[in-house]
Amino acid sequence: MAHPSQLGFQDAASPIMEELLHLHDHAMMVVFLISIFVLYIITLMITTSLTHTSTMDAQAVETIWTILPAIILILIALPSLRILYLMDEINDPHLTIKTIGHQWYWSYEYTDYEGLMFDAYMVQTQELPEGTPRLLETDHHMVVPTDSPTRMLISAEDVLHSWAVPALGIKTDAIPGRLNQTTFTTSHPGLFYGQCSEICGSNHSFMPIVIESSTLNSFETWSNLMLEP
């Protein structure tokens, strides 16, 4: 999860988030090199007398500053398109979970398990166990097995919401009357926090999301406990 005064991204907890971090580093390196080059040219023009002003009107210079930006954009666009297709790829998920946004909580339904459904409300500050994050903890965690592709079906009952978990690289709108889907795979066990990232009302920040990634045996034990009458 994020920490106070943190400047960078959260540690990646899924393969897609790792790819997004690599794309960010790639794009930032390109921007950094362009900024250094532009700063060098500006410094050169300020400190050097222009003795060959006719060069600025040359056809070769115009060709270079037209083609070079196009090449740079392609170098950024191709990795971006690759990740975009990877994020939309849903291939044989092991588990399907449906979540519906309400004011001000999320409800979850495990469609592969008949009767496994629950609501997840934010834990109030005065009821928080020691060591748990304020405004991010819920009374029920969405438990998923580690290294298992999970498909999320996302919708809303009242207004627009957005189901977002930064560590997993997920941000999908929850729209009333429409069913959006996304997929993720947790790469290691742990707790991953998120919030509704849509301005859905005055208390939209009080709709936290907690995903608990555990081993398959622990997940089966949890599901059996939840299904007990």
Side-chain angles (χ1 to χ4, degrees):
M1 59 176 291
H3 301 284
S5 72
Q6 179 176 331
L7 299 179
F9 290 98
Q10 298 182 29
D11 293 336
S14 69
I16 289 296
M17 190 58 190
E18 291 180 2
E19 294 288 342
L20 290 173
L21 292 180
H22 292 159
L23 175 63
H24 170 266
D25 295 341
H26 169 71
M28 289 303 296
M29 183 56 66
V30 172
V31 172
F32 177 75
L33 293 176
I34 292 175
S35 301
I36 293 297
F37 177 73
V38 171
L39 183 61
Y40 169 75
I41 294 297
I42 293 175
T43 305
L44 201 64
M45 294 185 66
I46 293 176
T47 59
T48 306
S49 60
L50 299 178
T51 57
H52 299 282
T53 55
S54 59
T55 305
M56 303 303 295
D57 298 326
Q59 188 69 29
V61 176
E62 294 184 5
T63 303
I64 291 173
W65 71 40
T66 300
I67 295 178
L68 191 59
I71 295 176
I72 293 173
L73 290 176
I74 292 174
L75 291 176
I76 297 176
L78 290 181
S80 175
L81 289 174
R82 172 179 170 272
I83 297 177
L84 183 63
Y85 280 103
L86 287 175
M87 294 176 68
D88 288 338
E89 183 69 23
I90 300 177
N91 187 17
D92 191 24
H94 296 172
L95 182 67
T96 298
I97 304 174
K98 181 180 180 182
T99 179
I100 299 179
H102 308 268
Q103 292 180 323
W104 309 99
Y105 65 95
W106 296 96
S107 62
Y108 298 95
E109 177 183 351
Y110 287 69
T111 59
D112 301 304
Y113 296 81
E114 184 177 357
L116 180 50
M117 59 184 67
F118 55 87
D119 298 330
Y121 291 87
M122 184 188 73
V123 178
Q124 300 299 320
T125 302
Q126 61 272 18
E127 301 174 359
L128 275 177
E130 185 177 356
T132 55
R134 177 177 172 269
L135 300 182
L136 288 176
E137 186 61 43
T138 60
D139 56 354
H140 290 92
H141 295 171
M142 193 191 88
V143 183
V144 297
T146 306
D147 291 329
S148 295
T150 303
R151 175 173 58 186
M152 293 297 304
L153 303 177
I154 302 169
S155 185
E157 186 182 43
D158 34 48
V159 297
L160 292 175
H161 299 283
S162 186
W163 200 78
V165 183
L168 300 178
I170 300 174
K171 182 179 182 296
T172 304
D173 289 338
I175 303 173
R178 179 174 176 176
L179 201 62
N180 290 330
Q181 68 175 353
T182 187
T183 184
F184 67 90
T185 303
T186 57
S187 55
H188 56 82
L191 292 176
F192 311 113
Y193 296 92
Q195 285 180 309
C196 175
S197 59
E198 187 73 49
I199 303 179
C200 57
S202 59
N203 295 325
H204 81 97
S205 59
F206 298 153
M207 293 181 62
I209 302 163
V210 182
I211 297 179
E212 181 176 344
S213 176
S214 62
T215 62
L216 183 59
N217 291 334
S218 298
F219 172 77
E220 291 293 343
T221 302
W222 171 82
S223 62
N224 291 333
L225 291 175
M226 292 293 290
L227 290 172
E228 287 181 358

